[in-house]
Amino acid sequence: MWDPTAGCGVMECCPNPPELRWILDVAVAVLPSKDARTLRKQIAALDELW
């Protein structure tokens, strides 16, 4: 699990997952609808874990 108190703070080395979430949002937006649904389900399942 990601710990916000750990890491060096340099995005290229120790990225902050919530700050990078936009990348997944862009991926979902450009996928065909069936694939976007599949990815959204996978993301939702991971959100439950994190």
Side-chain angles (χ1 to χ4, degrees), residues 11 14-25:
M11 185 62 71
C14 301
N16 180 343
E19 290 180 13
L20 297 178
R21 185 57 179 265
W22 68 271
I23 295 171
L24 290 175
D25 295 336

Side-chain angles (χ1 to χ4, degrees), residues 14-46:
C14 301
N16 180 343
E19 290 180 13
L20 297 178
R21 185 57 179 265
W22 68 271
I23 295 171
L24 290 175
D25 295 336
V26 170
V28 168
V30 299
L31 286 171
S33 59
K34 180 182 175 190
D35 296 326
R37 272 192 305 274
T38 301
L39 182 55
R40 278 193 298 270
K41 286 180 184 179
Q42 292 173 341
I43 293 169
L46 291 171

